[in-house]
Amino acid sequence: MIIVTSNDQFSGNINKTAERILYDYGFQEDEYYAAISSSHTLINELDLCINESQYAMQYCKLTGNEIISFNEIGIYQVIFPYLDDIWFHNFYQQIMIPILEHDAKYNSELLKTAEEYIRQSGNINLTAEKLALHQNSVRYRLSKIKDICNINERADFYEQLSVAIKLHSIYNK
């Protein structure tokens, strides 16, 4: 762990600065993960700084990114601190258990479809292309997921599925 302090407000690309510091100390790019917290000004925020770095490190390990700052991990800023929360587990199970059970029973590849759909940011055409399926097959599978997970039309399907898939990748890494 490297803690960088300064009397001056930092300006510039923190990732490039971290890469330079690590290079100056003899680290080669393929030898490390660099997880960077947000910039903090008060010493009593040191615990926050360390936690942010740890969450960014979890993201690096999950995605294979070599260097990333806490500010770049998106929704994972909220997910990582609450992974052990009962509400996250219940939400995860509510969505993922029906998908996993359906796949096991019917060999239906709903999970594979859901993961690719999320990777493609909800784009059905790209999902179909990546999975070598017709777009209607992707639509059918997504509709099946809605049905078996009991996600009604008023709920934001993509958002819920996205969080569940992210939790699945974390819990099963």
Side-chain angles (χ1 to χ4, degrees):
M1 179 176 289
I2 300 171
I3 297 174
V4 178
T5 64
S6 173
N7 290 332
D8 301 320
Q9 180 69 21
F10 178 79
S11 64
N13 184 325
I14 190 72
N15 291 13
K16 293 292 181 198
T17 302
E19 286 175 356
R20 184 183 47 76
I21 290 169
L22 291 166
Y23 179 80
D24 288 348
Y25 280 97
F27 290 96
Q28 300 302 314
E29 198 170 296
D30 59 348
E31 295 176 333
Y32 64 84
Y33 288 119
I36 303 161
S37 76
S38 305
S39 179
H40 295 275
T41 55
L42 303 173
I43 191 67
N44 65 352
E45 295 176 328
L46 184 58
D47 61 333
L48 183 60
C49 177
I50 291 169
N51 284 334
E52 288 178 356
S53 294
Q54 288 175 328
Y55 299 140
M57 177 60 69
Q58 284 179 271
Y59 186 84
C60 283
K61 289 178 181 177
L62 181 67
T63 62
N65 285 353
E66 293 173 348
I67 184 166
I68 199 153
S69 67
F70 180 76
N71 293 335
E72 295 174 303
I73 67 173
I75 191 67
Y76 290 95
Q77 293 176 14
V78 176
I79 291 175
F80 283 132
Y82 297 101
L83 282 177
D84 296 326
D85 188 284
I86 188 68
W87 298 104
F88 265 37
H89 280 281
N90 288 345
F91 176 80
Y92 165 77
Q93 290 179 339
Q94 174 186 337
I95 303 238
M96 294 309 300
I97 297 297
I99 293 171
L100 296 171
E101 287 176 350
H102 191 276
D103 276 356
K105 185 174 182 179
Y106 299 106
N107 196 27
S108 56
E109 296 190 334
L110 295 181
L111 176 61
K112 182 178 178 180
T113 303
E115 289 172 331
E116 193 59 44
Y117 177 69
I118 299 307
R119 260 192 299 281
Q120 300 306 325
S121 301
N123 185 314
I124 289 176
N125 296 339
L126 288 176
T127 303
E129 185 179 310
K130 293 287 185 178
L131 295 175
L133 293 172
H134 191 275
Q135 296 166 7
N136 288 340
S137 296
V138 172
R139 286 186 186 93
Y140 172 80
R141 289 180 182 182
L142 295 173
S143 177
K144 190 68 174 171
I145 292 169
K146 282 182 189 178
D147 289 344
I148 65 174
C149 297
N150 199 24
I151 299 173
N152 67 42
E153 292 302 317
R154 289 181 295 190
D156 188 340
F157 172 70
Y158 176 82
E159 184 177 275
Q160 290 185 54
L161 186 62
S162 178
V163 171
I165 292 297
K166 286 170 175 54
L167 288 169
H168 183 72
S169 67
I170 294 166
Y171 290 147
N172 291 286
K173 189 81 173 178

